[in-house]
Amino acid sequence: MPQNKQIHLDNRPTGEAELSNFKLVVGETPALADGQVLVRHHYLSLDPYMRGRMNDSKSYAASQPLGQTFQGGTVGEVVESRHPKFAVGDKVVGFGGWQEYGVVDANQPGVLRKVDTTHVPLSHYLGAVGMPGVTAWYGLVKIIAPKAGETLVITAASGAVGSAFGALAKARGCRVVGIAGGPDKCKYVTDELGFDACIDYRQHPDVKSMSAALKEACPDGIDGYFENVGGYILDAVLLRLNAFARIALCGMIAGYDGQPLPIQNPTLLLINRVKLEGFIVSEHMEVWPEALKELGTLVATGKLRPRESIAEGIEKAPEAFLGLLKGKNFGKQLVKLV
């Protein structure tokens, strides 16, 4: 059996996460039992939610255990199988974690899914046609529930969730405004993803400036907001919301290091009768087939052209992850292993 490089969480961060929180471990892959499958991972998924799981505190997901493989989504190829539904060569998506090989009990429902790479690249099943894409779909369709002609805003617009959100919202006839960091990302958001406008938050670093930029980009106000960041940007958006606006609360990356994120003027939620709903997409598996079908069609037809930032080799996973938390990635952040 091949050797298997893994990244473990060695210790928990105090404040900002650091490279010293992680540890590279080399071990053997165990022999397979009946019903198990050995997967050679081609790509690892790096996602902002992983930062919250590094803490030993109450959250919507259990804390990442110390001394174990760091958990996360993976895509790869079956290289050995003792399960009748999986054959050597099958391309699969799962939750194999930060390691080169994964042993999966394929009898457990939902832990491993075969995918078709004829029209959709394998890596996209960790992004646009995977968890981030379904996240965008659920927040848009089930919470914001937009009508044609409404104005929608999303933070982290150039990322995996944001790019999918833009394509889905434009398909529903909405005006879509993104918020992203830097002119290159904003140009991609408007020119390649088809957003109607994009605001560079680096040029608008406070509530007053961001609110003015939102007023210019959203002259008819904001009807729906998809929140990935929190902080002062949320305060600025609240100032521009229309009555009966809807907010899909997906992430608060500005607060992942543990500091509280107070809202300056929560009374605006009442004044505008705002619906605000937080959600975790893994709790809504019933929508995944419908969402993945639409997302796969958008990618296959070229209406969704997601970008990817790719780090090479398992050893680069911690560095790439810390870069993701600071916005250094451009699009979906992956680690390529094959």
Side-chain angles (χ1 to χ4, degrees), residues 30-111:
L32 297 186
D34 286 342
Q36 290 184 330
V37 172
L38 180 65
V39 179
R40 176 70 166 105
H41 297 146
H42 288 205
Y43 293 93
L44 311 180
S45 177
L46 305 186
D47 300 283
Y49 79 85
M50 296 172 172
R51 174 60 187 86
R53 299 188 71 248
M54 293 174 72
N55 300 331
D56 188 17
S57 58
K58 186 178 188 293
S59 183
Y60 57 79
S63 295
Q64 164 68 40
L66 294 177
Q68 295 185 21
T69 303
F70 203 83
Q71 296 166 2
T74 50
V75 289
E77 182 176 345
V78 174
V79 292
E80 186 180 345
S81 176
R82 295 188 65 179
H83 193 284
K85 291 186 178 179
F86 292 91
V88 172
D90 284 346
K91 300 297 191 296
V92 292
V93 58
F95 202 71
W98 293 12
Q99 56 182 341
E100 293 178 323
Y101 291 86
V103 175
V104 182
D105 179 1
N107 288 317
Q108 294 184 26
V111 297

Side-chain angles (χ1 to χ4, degrees), residues 136 191 292:
D191 293 2
L292 290 172

Side-chain angles (χ1 to χ4, degrees), residues 6 92 178 181 227 260:
Q6 305 172 325
V92 292
E227 176 64 287

